[in-house]
Amino acid sequence: MNLRRRTVLGAMGASLLAAPALAQDYPNKPLKMIVPYPPGGGTDGLGRITAQFLSEKLGQQIVIQNVGGASGTIGSEMVRRAEPDGYTVLFNASLFVLGKTVVPSCPYDPQTDFRAIAQAGEAPLVMLANNNVPGNDYAATMAAVAKDPKKFFVAISSGGSAGHIATLAWLKRIGIPLDQILYKGTAPANTDLMSGSVQFFMDPWTALLPLATSGRAKGLYVTSKERTPLAPNIPTSAEVGLKDFNLSSWYGVWAPKDTPDAIVNRLAAGMAEVSKDKAFVDKTTSLGIVPTARGPKDFAAFIKSEVETNTALLKEANFKPE
């Protein structure tokens, strides 16, 4: 009996010692970063840039694997089911953390089934107006809207997206009940904005600023704290009277929930180095992405706050996901 107990305890001790040893040796082979969308989109673009620089910091290759489908849940579920050894990680956008609130068939809880590693960056939003909307600035335009709000419609690129959340917050702030039109993506919303089928559209500026800078639509404001050099003539939300209205689309890295602390910390340290790399900052800034440096604890707290605030906005708007 005693001999057997010592043997079992010895095996347990060896197992406990193996985890730190594994973490100290990490990473010793290439990593796989799952982007749960097809190639070519904004999430994929930033994911590839992040993988390139994180690979340099970790000293191992990071292979991007695009696994699209079901609003990003198929690729994310693949990461959830992966071995929690740090060799399969997820790169995703802010929509991911809303889970079943926006995708009823979502098979996981983003906060409890994954470990937040680091926030990689954020893309502020821009509010565009069709060129035929009255007014040469935000104040004049809103004065016209207030007189006859039934004439004006707001485009939403997808349910639960950063643009949708920001639009709900904007409508709540201004107190004008404008009707919303839900689209399946940014491209069809852009088309209807330019044709005049809808009059307003707010989404990440990475996709929309070219419309404003080319004169195909009017840029009313950006949600960044400072004007962007990519479109310096567009005022900030604060400048048009929307104080503390600094919402954005954001992106981050996650791992399966049982990933050991030592591995999470190693990945987070690598991401912290990436966020300070001048070449990374220059490259992302040129695309309209603002690098961020939230580590596991701060990122998890930020996610919790985002989910609470955004879920409340969607519920108040009686949003029903399809």
Side-chain angles (χ1 to χ4, degrees):
M1 181 68 179
N2 289 340
L3 177 61
R4 182 181 178 185
R5 185 169 184 270
R6 283 195 297 272
T7 302
V8 171
L9 288 174
M12 290 175 62
S15 176
L16 291 172
L17 288 172
L22 177 66
Q24 288 174 5
D25 196 34
Y26 173 85
N28 58 18
K29 62 181 181 180
L31 286 72
K32 181 166 59 178
M33 180 177 281
I34 304 294
V35 176
Y37 299 101
T43 304
D44 176 65
L46 181 57
R48 290 178 183 277
I49 295 171
T50 302
Q52 172 194 338
F53 283 86
L54 182 59
S55 172
E56 295 172 3
K57 308 307 179 187
L58 296 178
Q60 283 291 343
Q61 180 185 13
I62 299 179
V63 179
I64 291 286
Q65 183 175 347
N66 296 93
V67 184
S71 299
T73 61
I74 294 177
S76 301
E77 173 69 357
M78 180 181 292
V79 175
R80 184 183 77 85
R81 293 178 174 274
E83 285 294 320
D85 56 7
Y87 289 100
T88 302
V89 296
L90 174 69
F91 190 91
N92 213 337
S94 50
L95 181 64
F96 162 67
V97 301
L98 290 175
K100 290 182 181 295
T101 302
V102 294
V103 184
S105 61
C106 181
Y108 48 75
D109 182 324
Q111 292 190 81
T112 60
D113 288 333
F114 297 83
R115 292 204 64 176
I117 303 296
Q119 187 180 18
E122 58 185 16
L125 314 176
V126 60
M127 171 62 86
L128 297 184
N130 174 269
N131 282 329
N132 293 324
V133 171
N136 294 321
D137 58 24
Y138 179 77
T141 295
M142 296 316 298
V145 171
K147 289 180 181 178
D148 196 356
K150 290 298 181 183
K151 289 184 177 180
F152 301 92
F153 298 89
V154 185
I156 304 295
S157 63
S158 60
S161 65
H164 186 193
I165 297 298
T167 298
L168 293 177
W170 174 65
L171 293 175
K172 184 176 182 179
R173 178 78 70 92
I174 65 176
I176 301 176
L178 300 182
D179 289 331
Q180 303 158 49
I181 308 298
L182 183 63
Y183 291 84
K184 292 185 176 180
T186 300
N190 279 343
T191 298
D192 277 7
L193 176 75
M194 289 184 289
S195 72
S197 298
V198 294
Q199 286 68 47
F200 299 101
F201 183 30
M202 178 159 47
D203 230 28
W205 67 16
T206 46
L208 300 193
L209 280 179
L211 296 184
T213 55
S214 66
R216 288 176 287 169
K218 293 192 287 191
L220 296 182
Y221 63 82
V222 291
T223 62
S224 51
K225 293 182 179 180
E226 299 177 352
R227 294 195 184 201
T228 171
L230 300 177
N233 292 330
I234 303 178
T236 66
S237 48
E239 287 176 311
V240 302
L242 297 169
K243 185 180 178 182
D244 298 324
F245 194 79
N246 303 119
L247 299 94
S248 65
S249 177
W250 50 265
Y251 310 86
V253 179
W254 288 262
K257 68 174 182 179
D258 293 325
T259 305
D261 287 347
I263 289 177
V264 168
N265 293 337
R266 179 71 186 95
L267 286 167
M271 285 297 297
E273 291 178 38
V274 167
S275 71
K276 294 181 289 187
D277 190 306
K278 186 179 183 303
F280 176 79
V281 173
D282 290 345
K283 195 165 190 175
T284 52
T285 300
S286 70
L287 299 174
I289 303 292
V290 180
T292 51
R294 286 189 175 98
K297 186 176 180 180
D298 289 344
F299 190 29
F302 171 76
I303 290 170
K304 183 175 184 295
S305 174
E306 285 279 288
V307 170
E308 290 173 353
T309 299
N310 297 347
T311 300
L313 279 169
L314 291 168
K315 184 176 181 180
E316 187 177 339
N318 295 314
F319 172 71
K320 299 291 189 295
E322 297 179 356

